[in-house]
Every structure is written in C-alpha cells, then in structure tokens.
Amino acid sequence: MRCPSCDYPLWNLKAGPCPECGTPFKPSGLRFTPNAVRFCCPHCETAYYGTSRSGHLVPRTFGCVGCGAHLDMDEMLVRPIEGVDDRNAMQAGNPWLAPNLPLRTRWQKTFYRGLGEPALLIEGTPAIGPAGAALRYALLNFAAVFVVGMLLFGGFIALTSPGGGAGPAILASAATVGVLGVLVPAVAMLLWIAGAHGLLSLVTRDNEGIGRTTQAVAFTSGAWLLTLIPCAGYPVAILVWIVCASVAMARAHGGRGGRAALSALAPPLVMIAMLVGGYVLLAVGIMPTPIAPPQPPPMTGPAAWRGTTGIRGETQRVADSLRLAMHLGTTPTHGAELIGWNGVTARDFANADGTSPRVHGSTRIVDLPSSVYAAQHPAIVQATAQWPAGVTAHRIGRLVFTHHGVDPQRHPDLAILMQLPGPGAAEPLVLVWTAGHVQTSGDGRAEIDAENRKRAAAGVPPLPPLEALMAGPGPWTADTAPASDGDDSAPRATGDG
C-alpha cells in the first residue's frame, strides 16, 4: 500500500495524511488483492482478511472478536500477509498515479484503461486522491490533440500552399485547432463536472464528493483523441467519452451508481441539444425568407382578360410584366427589357409572319439572352442611346409600347401597350390601359384619337397616328415625323408587325 502521490509505503499506518507528502489516504479508497492483506485491530492486533472483489472487509464495520471494540475498516491497520510482496498485495490501480513509471507509460496505460476498463480504472484511483492529477491528465490529452492536429493540418497546408504563402493559413489553422481541440473541450469538461455533481447532489447527498466526479470524467478524457479520426472524429469521441465517463461515475459513487450514471449523462446531452438547437436557429435565421414573386396589379373592369377581347396570350404576358414593372418603379425604356419577367420571352414579340424583329441594326430580338440580363445587352443600350428626347412610343413586332411618360397612379385610364391589327385588319386594335382594362376597336384611328384626347387632358404627349405606327418601329415623339432605324423586318402598309 503506497501513497498515490509520492509512492511512500503506507502499510501498518492509520488512515490520514501521508507522512511523506501529506496526501490523505484511507484503506477503503484503495484496491487490494482478495485475501492478500490483513486488517488488524488497532487495539488487540486481531487480524481479519479482505474477501471482497476490492480486497475489503465484508462487512466493513463490526465488533472485534478479540477485544470487543467497535471497528471500521478505515480505522484498522493494513499489512500484507506473510509471503506476499507488498506490491502484489495491491490490485492494479491507476497507472497515472504511479510516480515510478515514465510519463509516456503512465499516459498510455491510463488511456487504454480509461477507454477499455473505466470502472476498474476508477476503482484503482484513491477516492480521496488529488483531483488535480486527473485534470492534468485531461489537459495532456487536449494538448496531444492540438499537437497532432497541427502536424496533420499544418503540414497539409504547408505542402499544398505555393511559394511559401502558408504562414497566415497555418496560424489560422493553429487557432482553429486550439479552440476546437483544447479550449472547447476543457471548458465543456468543467461544465460537465459541475453539472453532473450538481445533479447527483440533488438526487442524493450520500456521494463521494466532487473530486470523485472529477476523477471519473477527467480520467476517461483519453476518448478525446478519437477526434483525430477523419470525418467522424468528433461524434465518435463525444459518444465514447460520455459512455466511459458514465460507467466510471457509476462505479466511483458506489451504491449510488445508477443515479450517478444518469447525472453524468445529462449535462453533455443538454450541451449537445443546445449546440444543435443554436445551429438550427442560426441556419434558420440566415436563410432567406421565401418571398412570393411579385404579381402584376389585378385586372379590373368589364374588359379584363377574356377570350372575347382579341388579345393574344403573348401580348397578355408582356402587358402583365409591363404593368408590374411600372407599379414597382422599374419602368423599362425599351420593351425588350421585359424579357425574363414573368415568363416573357423574345418569341412574344414576333412579327405576324413569325419572324423576329430587330432591336438595333442586325441584332434580332431572339438573339438576346432569355433572362433579365437582356436589359444589359449592348444592342438595347445602343438603341435607346440613339433615341431622341421625348419619346412617346416605340414598336417591337406587333406590339407598340405607349407607356412613356405615363404614371400608373395618376393615369390609370391611359394606354401603355397596343396590339396592332393583323394582316388585312382581320384582328382589331387592342389597347391595354394602365389599370389593366382592355379596349378593342375595329376602327384604330378613332381609338387612337380618343386616346390622344385623354392624354391631352392629362398633360401627356399624344401618340402618332395609326398609319405611322403601322409603318415602322419608331421611336416617335410628339413633334417629330415617324422614323426608322433600318429594321427591314418591320412591315409597312400591310400592317404586319
């Protein structure tokens, strides 16, 4: 029987401080080989033999058969029986507390026993032994994770970084490994010890003290080295540590084993739940809130979209997108800028014969990107840059955009888009108003005259006559003659847009 701190022999001594170093000891805190030691009455020297699995007396309190004194095992003198070496009289204890062994051997043996035999490891640890030794062992494990982690990650960064530029990356890696490998587990372990012993104290006051709880958790911390396993390291290490610490905790607190094990389980499970919950809340918080795509203002009035209006589906899509853009304050200059809005494509602007109108020079509208990036195409930018000031209308295929200068709030009854009649005036002229009304007319001239009267009353420049709209693509202003930018696909007298 030797002191766990200085290896001083403690045979034939009463429980108390070690004469050499002052570390407290008592027989019940040590493990002996069954029937290898004698517990002697301090009054009459009557010997009793420990027969339990730990080599202790059963029962531990009784009346001495020699002198009748009431005895407790911790009050008796302990001696090895004759013929048994004093070291063989002791069961294998905690290797970490064997000062005669090299540090590497102590660490290796404690690591293997902590993972493979946590109950036996804690049994071999003096119940009133120093908790600081257990914390130093845990800190060594955390430091080992840091060193090995830096050799792995730092070496990889150094090998893969060109031209010696790995310095900042290695420093960042060291900080990350230090936080995750040392600081986080150290703080978590202290919280675990405090929480586990606090719970144990709530369910039973008959326990071995917080030092014993510290030993159970810290001496099983070798599991943290399993974090070095690629990919699955952290979950494996945490799970193994929780299981081993719970087993050690159950054995450390003796008859309160079940409650002690549950007390050891609860804190890490709560911390894991808080970590997962916080991650979920963070992920939910940074995820963009689903927003329904903006919809054009509702169609109102008796002439809303109906099959009897004569409006084409293509025109309807363009009109919806134009009205939406105007109400959102992003009114397009050129009608082709609506490509990509609410399903609008270049084919919605096709001529009556199916050919594609040109936007500028030789650029056809079907050559524009089929997305909102069409608004940034050089052909559109160059075309609008050459337009004169005060444009009131321009044409793409069969559609005439008359939204220039129209305010959707102040001018709800003004036309913003026209669908020109087809070949031979087989189809009527269709006007779409800002508010969404649709007006059809077999006499396009009269309809445009009526529209210009409303514009005059509202202070908005007038539209060119129907003949001008049918003749070319524009653009037109209030005081200039119809003009053309060379779009040879635009029909003339036939009315083909």
Side-chain angles (χ1 to χ4, degrees):
M1 185 168 73
R2 294 178 178 271
C3 175
S5 297
C6 66
D7 205 35
Y8 184 84
L10 302 174
W11 299 107
N12 207 34
L13 294 176
K14 290 184 178 181
C18 170
E20 182 71 18
C21 66
T23 300
F25 76 94
K26 58 183 179 180
S28 62
L30 302 173
R31 300 178 74 245
F32 307 98
T33 303
N35 296 308
V37 297
R38 298 172 292 164
F39 292 83
C40 300
C41 174
H43 307 292
C44 66
E45 296 289 326
T46 301
Y48 303 88
Y49 297 89
T51 58
S52 73
R53 184 173 59 179
S54 300
H56 296 160
L57 294 177
V58 180
R60 61 173 292 169
T61 59
F62 56 93
C64 180
V65 298
C67 64
H70 181 76
L71 301 176
D72 182 274
M73 183 176 66
D74 285 337
E75 299 173 350
M76 305 177 75
L77 304 176
V78 184
R79 301 165 183 162
I81 64 173
E82 296 180 3
V84 177
D85 183 81
D86 63 344
R87 293 190 181 274
N88 292 333
M90 300 293 296
Q91 286 193 28
N94 189 330
W96 185 253
L97 302 178
N100 55 317
L101 295 177
L103 175 63
R104 178 180 176 182
T105 302
R106 291 163 54 202
W107 176 80
Q108 285 181 335
K109 290 180 175 293
T110 307
F111 171 79
Y112 291 127
R113 294 200 69 188
L115 268 63
E117 300 176 320
L120 295 180
L121 176 65
I122 203 66
E123 277 189 359
T125 304
I128 55 175
L135 295 177
R136 287 192 292 273
Y137 169 73
L139 188 59
L140 179 61
N141 291 324
F142 303 152
V145 171
F146 174 78
V147 172
V148 177
M150 278 307 303
L151 289 176
L152 293 175
F153 298 114
F156 175 78
I157 293 173
L159 291 174
T160 56
S161 297
I170 292 178
L171 290 177
S173 177
T176 302
V177 175
V179 170
L180 297 181
V182 180
L183 181 60
V184 170
V187 173
M189 184 184 68
L190 295 178
L191 294 175
W192 185 1
I193 293 170
H197 196 74
L199 288 174
L200 183 62
S201 299
L202 289 177
V203 298
T204 176
R205 296 188 180 276
D206 185 17
N207 58 68
E208 300 296 330
I210 192 171
R212 199 65 167 155
T213 300
T214 302
Q215 291 174 341
V217 176
F219 275 129
T220 54
S221 62
W224 192 247
L225 273 77
L226 299 179
T227 57
L228 297 173
I229 298 175
C231 301
Y234 277 93
V236 170
I238 293 172
L239 177 62
V240 172
W241 192 1
I242 291 175
V243 172
C244 292
S246 300
V247 172
M249 184 90 164
R251 186 63 61 87
H253 291 281
R256 281 73 55 191
R259 284 172 286 183
L262 292 176
S263 299
L265 279 171
L269 294 180
V270 170
M271 286 189 282
I272 292 173
M274 293 176 62
L275 180 64
V276 173
Y279 177 79
V280 171
L281 290 176
L282 178 63
V284 172
I286 63 177
M287 287 178 60
T289 303
I291 301 176
Q295 298 297 324
M299 302 298 294
T300 58
W305 298 147
R306 293 195 306 269
T308 58
T309 60
I311 189 170
R312 300 184 306 157
E314 296 87 344
T315 306
Q316 178 181 337
R317 280 194 295 272
V318 176
D320 278 339
S321 297
L322 178 59
R323 294 175 57 241
L324 174 59
M326 294 178 67
H327 279 78
L328 293 179
T330 56
T331 303
T333 301
H334 197 288
E337 297 176 25
L338 295 174
I339 294 177
W341 280 66
N342 287 347
V344 173
T345 68
R347 296 186 180 276
D348 294 333
F349 300 95
N351 294 317
D353 58 3
T355 60
S356 176
R358 295 178 185 174
V359 178
H360 181 72
S362 61
T363 302
R364 300 182 306 163
I365 196 168
V366 293
D367 297 328
L368 301 179
S370 299
S371 69
V372 292
Y373 295 106
Q376 303 170 10
H377 196 278
I380 295 179
V381 175
Q382 294 171 12
T384 55
Q386 297 178 10
W387 283 3
V391 170
T392 58
H394 70 279
R395 175 181 168 183
I396 307 177
R398 297 183 60 183
L399 302 182
V400 178
F401 291 84
T402 60
H403 66 286
H404 303 279
V406 177
D407 187 325
Q409 304 299 328
R410 296 170 51 205
H411 311 131
D413 59 342
L414 295 185
I416 57 174
L417 185 68
M418 293 184 184
Q419 174 186 297
L420 295 177
E427 297 178 0
L429 176 71
V430 179
L431 293 86
V432 180
W433 295 346
T434 305
H437 295 172
V438 178
Q439 179 69 38
T440 62
S441 174
D443 186 353
R445 298 178 182 80
E447 195 60 48
I448 291 178
D449 290 342
E451 179 68 21
N452 282 336
R453 287 193 293 271
K454 291 189 294 182
R455 286 174 169 254
V460 177
L463 299 176
L466 179 61
E467 290 78 9
L469 298 177
M470 296 288 289
W476 297 277
T477 63
D479 54 357
T480 60
S484 173
D485 66 355
D487 185 352
D488 59 9
S489 68
R492 304 303 179 186
T494 62
D496 184 1

